[in-house]
Amino acid sequence: MINIKDKKFIEAFGKNLRKLRKEAGLSQENLANDADIPLSQIGRIERGEVNTTISTVHVLAEALKIEITDLFKF
């Protein structure tokens, strides 16, 4: 795994993504399909295993139909 500078922040982001996904009534598979990213990537993000890219954050927000800033409200 790549060295992550702030593991707690990455984990908090993942927990928030999971919460927002569930609030939207989406499975990980639905979100992956809507965002056109691999299903495994959703799981890694939600578990705080990867420091995701800005472009992935953008497509996740679009797929969830939320403002991108909502993903960082935790």
Side-chain angles (χ1 to χ4, degrees), residues 17-72:
L17 173 60
R18 181 180 298 119
K19 178 182 78 79
L20 293 168
R21 174 181 57 78
K22 288 183 176 186
E23 287 174 359
L26 296 173
S27 66
Q28 286 185 345
E29 185 174 5
N30 294 140
L31 180 57
N33 289 335
D34 291 350
D36 195 28
I37 60 175
L39 172 59
S40 61
Q41 185 72 353
I42 300 293
R44 287 192 300 268
I45 295 168
E46 289 188 356
R47 290 188 302 274
E49 295 176 355
V50 295
N51 188 0
T52 194
T53 65
I54 293 170
S55 59
T56 298
V57 171
H58 178 254
V59 295
L60 288 170
E62 285 188 338
L64 290 166
K65 297 177 178 62
I66 60 173
E67 296 294 323
I68 200 166
T69 55
D70 293 337
L71 287 164
F72 295 94

